[in-house]
Amino acid sequence: MAGEGWTWQVDPPEGWLLVPTTATLPADLLAAWERDVAGLVRSSLFDGPESEDGSGSGEDPDGVLDAVRDRVAAESVANLRAFADGVVDGGALVVATFRVPGSAPVPVLATVGVEPLGDPGDDLMTALGASGGTPVAPPKIEHVDLPDGDGMRVTRLDLDPVSGGAWVSVCLGRRTEHADAVVDTVLQWRSQDLLQGPAMTELLDELLPAVSILRSAQ
């Protein structure tokens, strides 16, 4: 629910999936979804012809590699599900893509909010990570032309204060103006895999049109 009188949904494009939560599916259907997606994860990571470690060759007489692959796939799905369950109370959905080569499904957080007309957009800017950062690596803010609203992309690099590791994030926002309100869509991706940044920039552009927002009551 984006706000009173509004609903929203994500119709994932090819190569993406919407991650269900414990509250959205009965236990038996959830278990079936997890098994199916674990199979997809395993196939995308290990069974392709381009496996660099030879894991796609089928040479595993003792079944050791099979067990490891199954465990990695199951853990990947469990992490997706835990992420989705952890953010649903905040009104967010998790959508994951298989489109990053050599990677387990990459999660993206999707949120929608409704603000009154004339809203200055401070909440949107905060959600996109447009403020803060460091003088050495300030957020990169780009305005994006969209057919259905005003868009903004924020790319930033942050250092973990505890570990000192680097985190890269790409956030894409869309603000659509209606007669009585403005509706903000925010897609957020964050990772310590800095090499994924360029791919995720393009993939967020692909995902944004799949988020549809409807007025549910007048």
Side-chain angles (χ1 to χ4, degrees), residues 133-146:
T134 66
V136 177
K140 177 183 178 183
I141 301 173
E142 303 170 89
H143 293 277
V144 183
D145 291 329
L146 299 174

Side-chain angles (χ1 to χ4, degrees), residues 74-217:
E75 288 178 352
S76 174
V77 174
N79 289 337
L80 283 178
R81 287 270 301 103
F83 186 25
D85 277 344
V87 301
V88 68
D89 287 344
L93 296 176
V94 174
V95 193
T97 179
F98 283 87
R99 300 274 300 279
V100 179
S103 173
V106 179
V108 172
L109 189 67
T111 55
V112 169
V114 179
E115 305 292 345
L117 283 178
D119 177 80
D122 293 344
D123 289 342
L124 175 60
M125 295 289 283
T126 299
L128 291 172
S131 59
T134 66
V136 177
K140 177 183 178 183
I141 301 173
E142 303 170 89
H143 293 277
V144 183
D145 291 329
L146 299 174
D148 54 353
D150 297 323
M152 181 179 293
R153 180 187 300 111
V154 177
T155 306
R156 59 185 291 166
L157 185 67
D158 296 290
L159 294 179
D160 189 301
V162 177
S163 68
W167 288 84
V168 62
S169 62
V170 179
C171 297
L172 182 63
R174 175 184 64 194
R175 168 159 282 201
T176 305
E177 186 169 318
H178 297 266
D180 56 349
V182 290
V183 183
D184 295 332
T185 305
V186 174
L187 303 178
Q188 299 170 291
W189 166 80
R190 187 169 185 259
S191 175
Q192 288 189 294
D193 189 341
L194 307 187
L195 297 179
Q196 288 184 356
M200 291 308 300
T201 297
E202 294 185 8
L203 288 168
L204 291 189
D205 288 349
E206 173 186 277
L207 179 62
L208 186 62
V211 182
S212 59
I213 305 158
L214 302 172
R215 190 183 295 274
S216 57

